Amino acid sequence: MSTPTARPFVAALSVDLDGQRAKYECARPGCPHPLEGPVCATDRIRAANGALIPRGPGGVAAFVAGVKDHHLTTYHGSTR
């Protein structure tokens, strides 16, 4: 029986237990942008009407849901 080949970690997604803060750290060699975030639910973002509003937990969840694909597509030319 063969053992599975160990794959090195190439990134880490950190989210606090309350879902209020998150960041993505890329450890791929030569990555031009190794840190995405951190984002926080209390960060102020500009709404469509120009007002500054809190990002909120939904904004953190959206960051978590899309950060890996965004980072890999933008900086590494693939989603894998």
Side-chain angles (χ1 to χ4, degrees):
M1 180 172 164
S2 65
T3 58
T5 304
R7 292 175 29 180
F9 285 98
V10 292
L13 176 61
S14 304
V15 183
D16 73 358
L17 293 175
D18 296 333
Q20 299 291 308
R21 292 179 296 275
K23 67 180 176 180
Y24 179 84
E25 296 177 87
C26 181
R28 289 176 183 232
C31 179
H33 191 77
L35 179 64
E36 298 284 351
V39 297
C40 183
T42 59
D43 290 346
R44 303 292 235 183
I45 58 172
R46 193 156 309 274
N49 66 3
L52 286 175
I53 60 171
R55 178 184 307 273
V60 175
F63 172 83
V64 168
V67 69
K68 179 183 174 193
D69 285 344
H70 166 77
H71 180 86
L72 293 179
T73 300
T74 304
Y75 300 106
H76 302 288
S78 78
T79 57
R80 296 181 147 232

